[in-house]
Amino acid sequence: MTSAVLKPVSSVTWIAGLVLAILVVASLFVGVSDVSPGRVFSDAAVFELLLVSRLPRTLAALLVGAGMAIAGLIMQTLARNSYVEPSTAGTAQSAELGVLVVTLFWPSASLFLKSIAATGTALLGTSIFLMTAHRLLPTQPFLVPLFGIVYGGVVGAAVTFIAWQADLLQYLSVWTNGDFSGVLRGRYELLWIGAAMLIVAWAIADRLTIMAMGRDASIGLGVDYARMLQLGLVIVSVISALCTVVVGTIPFVGIVVPNIVSRLAGDNLRSTLPVVALSGAILVLGCDILGRLVRYPYEIPVGTVMGCVGGAIFLWLLFRRPAHG
Amino acid sequence: MIRIENVSLKHGAASILYDISLDIPKGGITALIGPNGAGKSSLLSLIARLQPLQSGKISIDGFPVDKTPNRDLAKIIAILRQDSIVTSRLRVRELVGFGRFPHGRGRLTSEDHAVIGQSLQQFDLTDLADRFLETLSGGQRQRALVAMAFAQGTDYLLLDEPLNNLDMYFSRELMRSLRAIADDAGKTVVIVLHDINQAAAHADRIVAMKAGRIIADGTPAELLTSETLQRIFSFDMPVITIDGTPVVMHFR
């Protein structure tokens, strides 16, 4: 808010931007087909490959990473608990339920229609989670994530059961385990709607920070608490649903990134939102590149890589002493 | 002026407030006292539209609290709840800065920064301004919250037991600060107090509640007598006067 407060944050933003730029370049040139910078402009086929596959894949990873990190951050603000995120609180599972049901009854539905169905069920599922979370004792902060895990597990079990009955289990893994290898031009553009949600989140950043202080403080400061809650729900649900439908769920991003940024720079979202978005993009793109390199020329899905990397960071977060300063 | 007319409140079958009518004129410090469960906090949160009005009317400077847009009320009245817990990692200056939200909706002008600086100074927080809230003691955090309410710059300031967590020194400092903003800036302070001697020393008027009703109302000198206190708190306590201020010996 003051220059003294903003300075460290903006230098972090610059560094994050630089790291991301390097990863983007790396992502464009890492993969099974040989795309080297020298051949891009001399060989039309290579240039085409870049445009049809590598660039969309890179952009998708950026959008998904930034989106999931921000969705996690907003979810934590709404639940007033820093250990929840869409994939552990029923949002992702509800979105999967939506896609599954549409696929079941209308197999030829477009990606866009599936996204709308997924957004609808994600909204419903997340509302139920939040209504329950707000009733839990604030003195027992671990009840909220525990409830989220159980609730997400129940919804996820229902999804698996339906998929098993309908012989769609193979399909299901497309949505439950994030993977960018199927991303091509024409198959990821819906994610730009998620980018629009990031702009909305930026616009209401101050109100979200105030909401994290609770309902009474929000009303006292003239914030329309109920409407902001709904708007936050919409942002979380749209981003989660789009990510689920287009690339599948990626665990830990929404929990690890906001928690690290909070430790480093605090919870004033006006200054930390860009850092959270950039860091989410770095983490997801980095994990995707890693997945492409580990068993080269084969690929490991980004969801699996993130399960390992994100899990390790999460444990480090838990065991590290809380930062003061 | 805060005008409360025939306000009743029920939680399920339990009645919290019975037909309360009260005028709090502009300016000065009004202390709400009474035993636990008297309905003081409920009355305060009704005035500050934190819960919906069930019956009766409340208006502030003629604006009915249930019909005036929330964001407009936020420029006339600020409230600090007793159970305010801010778990966010915010710096003191950032927190106090959010008090200015009703005015610029998040955009801080140089005038806002001046008010923030003044609030920090008023509540002795200048040295702590760049510290994260979680690194402060309970009393320092409490002062930061009061400073945020003050930075809101409203004519009316409602404080629910702000002396909780404060030691003797800072209790006195806070009450003196409130006295100063009432006298110099013409603010109206309504404060729920458990320490009756703080009310005696600093308030212009004391309103006593018990079991959902107002049972006494007057200046400290009028109200703080053994008979009235017996009626309010149901036990006998001697009152002596030192330098014109009543001192209630409730602790013996």
Side-chain angles (χ1 to χ4, degrees), chain A residues 287-299:
Chain A
C287 283
D288 184 43
I289 295 175
L290 195 63
R292 280 182 250 170
L293 289 175
V294 169
R295 314 171 45 213
Y296 189 84
Y298 304 103
E299 288 200 12

Side-chain angles (χ1 to χ4, degrees), chain A residues 1-2 4-5 80 206-207 209-210 212-213 215-216 219-224 262-268 270-271 323-325, chain B residues 49-50 70-71 74 77 81 85-86 88-91 93-95 97-99 101-102 105-106 108 113 130 132 134-135 148 152:
Chain A
M1 234 179 240
T2 63
V5 173
R80 294 188 76 193
D206 288 314
R207 269 162 264 203
T209 309
I210 290 172
M213 299 181 205
R215 176 185 169 275
D216 288 350
I219 295 175
L221 289 172
V223 170
D224 189 337
S262 165
R263 296 243 170 130
L264 293 177
D267 292 331
N268 187 358
R270 177 61 72 201
S271 48
H324 283 289
Chain B
R49 45 73 175 96
L50 297 183
N70 191 14
R71 54 166 75 186
I77 189 160
R81 288 280 304 240
I85 307 165
V86 175
S88 311
R89 273 170 58 78
L90 294 174
R91 291 179 174 82
R93 189 190 303 278
E94 292 175 320
L95 179 82
F98 278 108
F101 184 80
R105 311 298 290 173
L108 293 179
H113 284 296
D130 291 319
F132 278 114
E134 64 192 18
T135 67
M148 170 167 114
Q152 214 172 322

Side-chain angles (χ1 to χ4, degrees), chain A:
Chain A
M1 234 179 240
T2 63
S3 55
V5 173
L6 268 179
K7 251 176 205 156
V9 173
S10 53
S11 70
V12 169
T13 314
W14 279 111
I15 295 168
L18 190 68
V19 172
L20 188 60
I22 295 169
L23 284 179
V24 166
V25 174
S27 168
L28 290 178
F29 299 109
V30 169
V32 180
S33 313
D34 180 24
V35 179
S36 62
R39 291 178 57 201
V40 170
F41 295 104
S42 58
D43 190 333
V46 171
F47 188 63
E48 184 66 13
L49 180 81
L50 197 76
L51 280 190
V52 172
S53 166
R54 292 287 166 78
L55 185 64
R57 179 173 188 158
T58 305
L59 287 174
L62 294 185
L63 294 172
V64 166
M68 283 189 160
I70 296 293
L73 178 65
I74 295 178
M75 191 86 173
Q76 286 147 27
T77 303
L78 301 185
R80 294 188 76 193
N81 190 299
S82 45
Y83 292 107
V84 293
E85 65 145 347
S87 73
T88 61
T91 310
Q93 291 81 358
S94 306
E96 289 159 12
L97 186 65
V99 206
L100 181 64
V101 169
V102 171
T103 310
L104 204 58
F105 292 105
W106 193 2
S108 64
S110 69
L111 223 49
F112 183 64
L113 278 172
K114 284 179 183 163
S115 303
I116 291 179
T119 304
T121 48
L123 261 177
L124 188 69
T126 316
S127 307
I128 293 172
F129 167 73
L130 275 183
M131 279 192 299
T132 317
H134 281 180
R135 282 166 194 272
L136 297 174
L137 285 178
T139 50
Q140 302 279 333
F142 286 105
L143 278 181
V144 176
L146 279 179
F147 167 71
I149 290 167
V150 173
Y151 174 68
V154 171
V155 179
V159 171
T160 310
F161 176 74
I162 297 172
W164 183 67
Q165 289 287 327
D167 210 8
L168 283 172
L169 271 181
Q170 290 253 295
Y171 247 109
L172 192 61
S173 68
V174 172
W175 304 310
T176 51
N177 195 8
D179 186 5
F180 289 110
S181 62
V183 172
L184 294 171
R185 188 166 65 191
R187 271 200 46 95
Y188 83 102
E189 283 76 2
L190 279 172
L191 291 173
W192 288 107
I193 300 175
M197 290 293 127
L198 298 187
I199 296 170
V200 176
W202 169 251
I204 61 168
D206 288 314
R207 269 162 264 203
L208 288 170
T209 309
I210 290 172
M211 280 183 71
M213 299 181 205
R215 176 185 169 275
D216 288 350
S218 306
I219 295 175
L221 289 172
V223 170
D224 189 337
Y225 186 75
R227 190 183 304 165
M228 281 301 126
L229 204 61
Q230 291 160 359
L231 190 53
L233 266 173
V234 168
I235 296 175
V236 168
S237 304
V238 168
I239 292 178
S240 307
L242 288 171
C243 292
T244 302
V245 171
V246 177
V247 299
T249 307
I250 304 175
F252 289 117
V253 185
I255 210 160
V256 162
V257 173
N259 271 288
I260 291 178
V261 174
S262 165
R263 296 243 170 130
L264 293 177
D267 292 331
N268 187 358
L269 300 193
R270 177 61 72 201
S271 48
T272 62
L273 258 176
V275 188
V276 171
L278 279 174
S279 311
I282 289 174
L283 187 62
V284 169
L285 187 56
C287 283
D288 184 43
I289 295 175
L290 195 63
R292 280 182 250 170
L293 289 175
V294 169
R295 314 171 45 213
Y296 189 84
Y298 304 103
E299 288 200 12
I300 298 174
V302 67
T304 310
V305 178
M306 187 64 75
C308 302
V309 175
I313 303 177
F314 187 59
L315 282 177
W316 171 75
L317 270 177
L318 283 181
F319 283 110
R320 193 172 164 272
R321 289 172 57 119
H324 283 289

Side-chain angles (χ1 to χ4, degrees), chain B residues 3-236:
Chain B
R3 169 158 280 176
I4 302 163
E5 292 170 87
N6 309 108
V7 166
S8 299
L9 180 71
K10 282 183 181 177
H11 280 179
S15 280
I16 312 292
L17 297 172
Y18 296 90
D19 196 27
I20 301 266
S21 294
L22 178 70
D23 281 351
I24 301 172
K26 207 161 187 165
I29 298 177
T30 301
L32 284 179
I33 64 163
N36 293 334
K40 308 176 296 275
S41 297
S42 297
L43 185 60
L44 224 54
S45 65
L46 283 175
I47 299 173
R49 45 73 175 96
L50 297 183
Q51 44 179 322
L53 216 46
Q54 291 173 350
S55 66
K57 283 188 235 169
I58 298 179
S59 66
I60 303 166
D61 283 347
F63 296 102
V65 293
D66 51 343
K67 296 192 184 75
T68 309
N70 191 14
R71 54 166 75 186
D72 295 339
L73 280 175
K75 293 179 196 167
I76 343 178
I77 189 160
I79 180 163
L80 177 62
R81 288 280 304 240
Q82 166 192 7
D83 44 10
S84 297
I85 307 165
V86 175
T87 51
S88 311
R89 273 170 58 78
L90 294 174
R91 291 179 174 82
V92 173
R93 189 190 303 278
E94 292 175 320
L95 179 82
V96 175
F98 278 108
R100 298 305 295 165
F101 184 80
H103 303 277
R105 311 298 290 173
R107 301 259 167 276
L108 293 179
T109 62
S110 55
E111 188 198 334
D112 290 324
H113 284 296
V115 175
I116 294 165
Q118 191 200 341
S119 308
L120 290 169
Q121 201 172 8
Q122 182 86 54
F123 294 96
D124 210 4
L125 292 163
T126 311
D127 293 342
L128 303 173
D130 291 319
R131 293 258 300 268
F132 278 114
L133 283 177
E134 64 192 18
T135 67
L136 305 183
S137 72
Q140 292 168 330
R141 218 172 298 164
Q142 181 74 5
R143 270 151 56 207
L145 288 168
V146 178
M148 170 167 114
F150 177 67
Q152 214 172 322
T154 54
D155 282 345
Y156 296 88
L157 197 54
L158 307 185
L159 304 168
D160 196 349
E161 292 184 37
L163 302 187
N164 273 0
N165 296 324
L166 295 187
D167 62 19
M168 282 183 285
Y169 175 77
F170 279 113
S171 294
R172 187 184 69 154
E173 286 302 300
L174 180 60
M175 291 309 293
R176 285 182 170 186
S177 298
L178 294 176
R179 191 67 254 172
I181 62 175
D183 292 341
D184 305 340
K187 306 278 184 192
T188 311
V189 179
V190 182
I191 181 170
V192 174
L193 284 176
H194 270 304
D195 186 340
I196 203 161
N197 289 319
Q198 293 284 6
H202 299 283
D204 299 297
R205 177 188 180 192
I206 298 180
V207 174
M209 293 181 68
K210 184 180 188 178
R213 294 186 171 86
I214 291 173
I215 58 167
D217 181 358
T219 63
E222 290 165 2
L223 192 128
L224 298 177
T225 62
S226 289
E227 299 80 42
T228 313
L229 289 167
Q230 164 87 46
R231 265 201 306 131
I232 303 168
F233 292 100
S234 317
F235 69 100
D236 186 48

